Amino acid sequence: MKPETVEFLTAGLRPLACRTCGTTVLVKKNSVQHTSIQWTTDAAKSCPVFAEQAASGAQTALLDTCANLSDSIDAALKDGLLEVPE
């Protein structure tokens, strides 16, 4: 992969731990509505919500995130740990 492609895909990503289960992901706010999440582990093994979905036979690849992680991202925004670009 070209260095400029890697930079485009990874620039601005910050580690963030879910406040419920502790799973760490990389997060970047692109706008108020758009959040990029890069899982650094197998979500079906590290996130209890994804694990439950996988155990029930659901396709976890179709899930963006879980409510607990969304809440953690919202809290990180309020705490100033993440920023929405202007």
Side-chain angles (χ1 to χ4, degrees), residues 24-42:
T24 298
V25 297
L26 299 175
V27 178
K28 175 183 176 184
K29 287 298 292 180
N30 299 300
S31 69
V32 172
Q33 299 86 10
H34 183 221
T35 304
S36 295
I37 300 171
Q38 180 75 39
W39 289 83
T40 58
T41 60
D42 180 350

Side-chain angles (χ1 to χ4, degrees), residues 3-79:
E4 58 270 14
T5 303
V6 173
E7 175 67 18
F8 175 77
L9 294 173
T10 61
L13 289 170
R14 298 184 180 225
L16 179 74
C18 176
R19 292 183 175 197
T20 301
C21 71
T23 297
T24 298
V25 297
L26 299 175
V27 178
K28 175 183 176 184
K29 287 298 292 180
N30 299 300
S31 69
V32 172
Q33 299 86 10
H34 183 221
T35 304
S36 295
I37 300 171
Q38 180 75 39
W39 289 83
T40 58
T41 60
D42 180 350
K45 292 181 181 173
S46 61
C47 171
V49 174
F50 274 71
E52 182 180 326
Q53 292 292 322
S56 72
Q59 295 293 323
T60 58
L62 301 177
L63 301 174
D64 290 330
T65 189
C66 75
N68 297 328
L69 183 57
S70 292
D71 290 345
S72 296
I73 292 168
D74 290 343
L77 283 165
K78 289 177 187 170
D79 293 344

